[in-house]
Amino acid sequence: MTLRRKRVHPETSMEVVDGESWRHFEIADPTEDVEDFYVRCERAESLRRAICRLQPTLRNVIEIRQLNDRSLKEIAELAGISVAATKSRLLRARKVLRRALG
């Protein structure tokens, strides 16, 4: 069982012998920067708040588009409006969101 575990999780040394001296490798920390994570969370939260403040007709179209990644035709069918009205509402909603977040 021990040999099987070693094959699945091979171990390697992080130190390399180069003649008489030892060299240590610097491994980059794979975790993301806390400040970047916080900024992304704040942006997402402000976007969520801005979407909640939209008029219900605009919010409905934006939510269908963003959450389900639907086509214009599918959005129009789900919202019960024409494709032209869907395009118009998406454009208006995006303009309002740009102003709110800008």
Side-chain angles (χ1 to χ4, degrees):
M1 294 299 286
T2 305
L3 292 175
R4 286 186 187 154
R5 278 191 221 120
K6 284 188 178 184
R7 268 189 276 144
V8 174
H9 304 289
E11 297 176 8
T12 57
S13 174
M14 298 304 292
E15 299 174 344
V16 176
V17 179
D18 184 20
E20 295 291 321
S21 63
W22 289 82
R23 288 186 295 161
H24 297 278
F25 288 111
E26 295 289 327
I27 305 296
D29 187 9
T31 58
E32 60 185 306
D33 187 23
V34 177
E35 291 177 10
D36 291 338
F37 178 73
Y38 179 76
V39 168
R40 271 200 322 267
C41 287
E42 283 296 311
R43 284 183 189 160
E45 181 62 24
S46 62
L47 178 61
R48 188 190 65 74
R49 278 188 257 125
I51 289 173
C52 287
R53 287 191 303 261
L54 285 174
Q55 296 173 4
T57 56
L58 300 179
R59 184 175 56 237
N60 186 27
V61 172
I62 281 287
E63 286 176 345
I64 294 171
R65 174 71 174 176
Q66 293 304 114
L67 295 177
N68 301 323
D69 198 29
R70 304 282 183 141
S71 69
L72 288 173
K73 186 177 179 182
E74 291 173 326
I75 296 169
E77 289 172 1
L78 288 170
I81 56 177
S82 67
V83 175
T86 302
K87 288 180 183 180
S88 175
R89 288 182 186 181
L90 279 172
L91 181 66
R92 268 189 271 142
R94 288 180 182 145
K95 283 182 181 179
V96 170
L97 290 174
R98 274 192 208 106
R99 272 188 266 132
L101 298 174

